[in-house]
């Protein structure tokens, strides 16, 4: 196998030769892994249908799961979408550049393959300086899903992306660990009321403050019934999953720790995925994914922790989380999918 080259640039002092190399590769129809503030993205020129098709192959991504296009300037939005409703302007003003994706009506310049044939398109303007520099230098919007093999946890370091995609992409740009750690918040502006399709670093509370009203798609917190129509195709797949079976346990620290102790006493080869402050009492093996009552720290570390779960040698991992307030909704949403909706209520 041919290994993929990995080039490093600090986000604070951008190496223009690294950016140049990424842009040249993208303009030539290649695939480049780029850092963003949410997770690493697997980028291709969004205006080049052949390049975009390679993304689906490299990730093993189902053909019916649409991609997000990334722009460097909010003023470019009207080129790629048919209408820019006032809500989109307000959201862009408040949260761009940053971890917010908007679904709008697609202009024909964006090939149908980007949107898996839908007449809408997802658009985001990342705040990561390296991502912004690469988009600018390429001179085109970049289609980019998370840079993981389909179904695996999203990569929050270049090493995660390399582990999944070595030999499958043309270039990897290492711009350091991702600040947010979970994928962008996705809001659809195609219906009568703005709808949250995927929670992320921009919270429902923040969105409501700007929009007034916001619907939350039931798929954010519930398993879809067989045959149900999905607003966001990405939400129907088992996702973010380690190889070890994950179970999401609902209950505070005390009942959770008691549950773990009982499972261990019964001889179950289980592991705990808990909070820093619980590690000493959770038994072995155990791993933390963040600080208690600090959903931003949990989001930041969650995917790295999920990747490390498989090193614990357990048959099952019991995890728990806190309330769905703020970024906590994104943490809950990702853990539910990592667990493929296998939940225990104490
Ligand atoms: O933070 C992020 O959004 C990262 C970085 C790389 O920007 N990207 C990312 O892409 O998470 P991906 O492909 O892993 O997730 C895109 C999500 C999927 O759930 C997909 O179904 C949804 O957005 N999506 C994309 N286009 C859509 C559309 N036209 N309508 C509804 N959902 C859409
Ligand atoms: Mg993804």
């Amino acid at each position: 196998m041919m290994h993929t080259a990995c080039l490093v640039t600090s986000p604070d002092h951008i190496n223009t030769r690294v950016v140049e190399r990424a842009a040249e590769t993208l303009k030539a129809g290649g695939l480049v892994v780029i850092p963003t503030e949410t997770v690493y993205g697997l980028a291709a020129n969004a205006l080049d249908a052949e390049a975009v098709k390679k993304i689906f192959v490299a990730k093993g991504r189902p053909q019916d799961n649409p991609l997000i296009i990334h722009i460097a300037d909010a003023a470019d939005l009207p080129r790629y979408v048919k209408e820019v409703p006032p809500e989109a302007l307000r959201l862009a003003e408040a949260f761009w550049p940053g971890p917010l994706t908007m679904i709008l009506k697609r202009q024909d310049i964006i090939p149908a393959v980007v949107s898996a044939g839908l007449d809408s398109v997802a658009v985001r303007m990342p705040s990561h300086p390296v991502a912004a520099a690469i988009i600018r230098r390429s001179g085109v919007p970049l289609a980019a899903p998370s840079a993981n093999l389909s179904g695996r946890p999203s990569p929050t370091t270049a090493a995660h992306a390399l582990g999944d995609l070595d030999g499958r992409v043309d270039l990897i740009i290492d711009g350091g660990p991702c600040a947010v750690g979970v994928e962008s918040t996705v809001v659809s502006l195609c219906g009568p009321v703005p709808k949250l399709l995927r929670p992320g670093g921009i919270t429902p509370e923040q969105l409501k403050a700007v929009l007034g009203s916001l619907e939350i798609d039931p798929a954010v917190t519930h398993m879809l019934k067989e045959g149900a129509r999905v607003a966001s195709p990405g939400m129907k797949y088992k996702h973010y999953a380690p190889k070890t079976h994950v179970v999401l346990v609902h209950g505070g620290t005390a009942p959770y720790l008691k549950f773990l102790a009982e499972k261990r006493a019964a001889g179950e080869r289980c592991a705990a995925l808990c909070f820093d402050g619980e590690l000493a009492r959770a038994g072995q093996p155990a791993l933390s994914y963040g600080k208690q009552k600090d959903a931003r720290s949990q989001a930041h570390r969650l995917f790295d922790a999920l990747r490390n779960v498989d090193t614990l040698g357990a048959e099952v991992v019991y995890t728990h989380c806190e309330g769905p307030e703020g970024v906590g909704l994104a943490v809950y949403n990702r853990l539910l999918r990592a667990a493929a909706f296998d939940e225990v209520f104490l």
Side-chain angles (χ1 to χ4, degrees), residues 59 61 145-146 148 154 183 198 239-240:
K59 280 193 61 138
R61 183 177 178 102
S146 49
N148 50 284
S154 294
E183 306 84 345
R198 181 175 72 183
H239 228 125
Y240 319 117

Side-chain angles (χ1 to χ4, degrees), residues 104-235:
L104 294 157
K105 292 270 170 259
R106 176 169 57 91
Q107 278 280 20
D108 297 335
I109 186 176
I110 301 293
V113 59
V114 169
S115 292
L118 298 173
D119 58 9
S120 58
V121 63
V123 190
R124 153 163 139 77
M125 178 178 169
S127 63
H128 196 292
V130 175
I134 293 172
I135 301 166
R136 282 224 166 81
R137 189 77 208 187
S138 309
V140 291
L142 300 180
S146 49
N148 50 284
L149 286 173
S150 195
R152 297 268 295 146
S154 294
T156 52
T157 65
H160 293 161
L162 183 68
D164 275 16
L165 298 175
D166 191 14
R168 295 170 164 262
V169 296
D170 298 297
L171 185 62
I172 295 179
I173 306 298
D174 183 348
C178 302
V180 178
V182 292
E183 306 84 345
S184 62
T185 300
V186 179
V187 177
S188 172
L189 297 177
C190 290
V193 180
K195 194 190 242 186
L196 179 72
L197 302 184
R198 181 175 72 183
I202 304 294
T203 66
E205 294 82 353
Q206 286 177 292
L207 294 171
K208 275 183 203 153
V210 170
L211 291 169
S213 59
L214 179 75
E215 251 177 46
I216 300 194
D217 193 284
V220 168
T221 50
H222 291 89
M223 187 163 27
L224 288 160
K225 297 206 176 60
E226 197 76 50
R229 202 183 146 272
V230 265
S232 179
M235 283 288 144

